[in-house]
Amino acid sequence: MTVKTDDVGARALLGPMLDETVPPSKVEVSRLVAAGRSRVRVRRWAGISGAGALTAVALIGGSLLVQPNQPPAAALQTATSTAPSPATGSRPAPPAFPTSCTGRLLPVPGKTISSYISGGDPSGRYLVGGYATDTSGHRPVLWDNGNPVIIPAPGGDLVAIEVNDRGIVAGTTDKIGNGTVEQINWVYRDGRVSPLGEPATKPGTFIQVIDINSGGDILLDSRPRTGVDPNRGPGIWTAAGQGTFRPLADPGNLGELTASALDEDGTVVGRYLVGQGFEGERTLVWKADGQLTKPSPPAGYGPGGALRLVRGGFAVGYYQQPGKQPHEVNTVRRDLRTGIDTAIPALAGAGAVNAHGWVAGLIRESGQGQTPAITTGTQLIKLPLPAGAIASSDGVGAYHLSDDGRTVAGNVAVNRDYLGAAVWRCLP
């Protein structure tokens, strides 16, 4: 170390941003309807395209941050009023940015009809996602150096899955029976699945895994399925305390809270809602020492928008463009140590950030659909389609980027109906 397109339209595409009081949105894009009603947590990406026009964008394993109207690269790079993170010290120099990348489809279990990437570890060795062999939904899978390992998780359809650099996987699956749906949280370690227990102080409140860091701390979202309960909020199972639960500070009377991502030092980015849609979102940052802050939007943006990704003190999110439609947003990278915001106009959507602040996501090209890409903010490289993939505008994008920038993973279209998990190896 977060959809249905036809009958639910805007709600599906805005999934995690519109109404967090409902259960997590099902990942049921037109490409995946035939593969089952997957309910993978849309944590990292959320899709919008054009002024008022909604397109069929696959929300698999994350929230798509899309910016239909992109400003010049220098349009934003200013210090915010946000106090810097307590994490200090110089960062290591970034590696050389890639000049070429070669992609391939990841191997999958026999008879798989669709697969996707949800995330990976900072080294790029471990990748996680889901695969489907029929229309009953997706099951969790771990790729270790490209080799698939089926995770025998309880329940049925995959809801969320994350992995750290020790190959420890935390996830959530659905258990369906007698007309009810129960979400089960679990941990996969050393070839075995164990249930992720819940603290005695808040039994029955945690509905899914959000993130896991290298230390083994697991971020959980405890939002109620309906309504707003002030007694519930996100929290962390701390590995150092062998399962000690650390609730995140309650800001009090800010509406419903949602945790989005966990950094290595324990920093958490999230958001709260003061209304509907993008304009109703506000950012929260829980620092590593537990202090809660409410960062202001970048200069010239807002008030709506929130940070959703974090790695190495770099957070990435989206913010409103004043005077534009509420759903017209721009991707922004914030350095939590310095409070400096930088616009990332090259990408139409952001799916991952690494420890150097490089961002992975997608670009849109006229007549060619969506293309996975990575950028430093000033340098950009498009990722070529691997053999067996076809050009598409649904669901294609990069969802993981290793710290050294040499491994990128994401999703491509393998035919008219289904997506496939892919990995790219990049060279300077």
Side-chain angles (χ1 to χ4, degrees), residues 12 22 77 125 138 140 188 203 247 255 267 334-335 406 417 428:
V22 300
Q77 189 166 357
R125 171 181 173 176
H138 288 79
Y188 177 76
T267 298
R334 172 168 290 176
D335 187 333
R406 301 296 177 256
D417 297 313

Side-chain angles (χ1 to χ4, degrees), residues 383-402:
L383 304 178
L385 287 176
I390 62 173
S392 173
S393 61
D394 288 350
V396 173
Y399 292 78
H400 178 67
L401 175 60
S402 63

Side-chain angles (χ1 to χ4, degrees), residues 144-389:
D144 183 351
N145 281 323
N147 300 310
V149 178
I150 299 173
I151 299 176
D157 210 0
L158 181 62
V159 176
I161 187 168
E162 296 292 339
V163 65
N164 70 6
D165 57 0
R166 291 186 287 163
I168 300 173
V169 180
T172 305
T173 44
D174 276 347
K175 181 179 180 180
I176 303 175
N178 298 323
T180 63
V181 178
E182 176 187 2
Q183 289 186 258
I184 303 174
N185 301 318
W186 45 266
V187 175
Y188 177 76
R189 185 200 313 255
D190 299 326
R192 295 191 302 175
V193 173
S194 302
L196 184 62
E198 294 185 340
T201 55
K202 293 186 177 183
T205 64
F206 293 99
I207 62 173
Q208 75 180 60
V209 165
I210 298 298
D211 211 347
I212 182 172
N213 64 14
S214 295
D217 296 337
I218 299 172
L219 177 64
L220 294 168
D221 191 352
S222 63
R223 294 176 292 110
R225 290 184 178 275
T226 57
V228 176
D229 184 344
N231 296 318
R232 296 184 181 183
I236 296 174
W237 271 118
T238 59
Q242 297 182 340
T244 300
F245 176 71
R246 176 167 67 87
L248 298 180
D250 184 356
N253 301 317
L254 288 184
E256 188 174 352
L257 309 181
T258 298
S260 299
L262 172 67
D263 208 348
E264 295 300 327
D265 67 351
T267 298
V268 175
V269 298
R271 61 197 186 278
Y272 64 99
L273 301 178
V274 297
Q276 296 295 309
F278 293 121
E279 67 272 25
E281 292 198 346
R282 303 292 185 271
T283 293
L284 291 174
V285 174
W286 289 268
K287 297 180 180 180
D289 61 3
Q291 180 185 356
L292 175 66
T293 64
K294 296 185 284 184
S296 301
Y301 284 73
L307 299 173
R308 290 174 175 267
L309 310 170
V310 66
R311 170 73 180 152
F314 290 105
V316 175
Y318 66 89
Y319 287 91
Q320 277 184 285
Q321 299 180 55
K324 302 293 185 179
Q325 294 294 323
H327 61 264
E328 294 188 59
V329 297
N330 283 93
T331 302
V332 175
R333 178 183 62 215
R334 172 168 290 176
D335 187 333
L336 296 178
R337 297 185 182 184
T338 63
I340 293 177
D341 291 316
T342 303
I344 308 294
L347 297 182
V353 60
N354 73 5
H356 303 291
W358 300 2
V359 185
L362 65 89
I363 60 175
R364 288 207 179 98
E365 299 182 279
S366 178
Q368 300 182 45
Q370 295 175 179
T371 301
I374 62 174
T375 182
T376 63
T378 56
Q379 298 170 281
L380 175 110
I381 185 169
K382 302 175 185 177
L383 304 178
L385 287 176

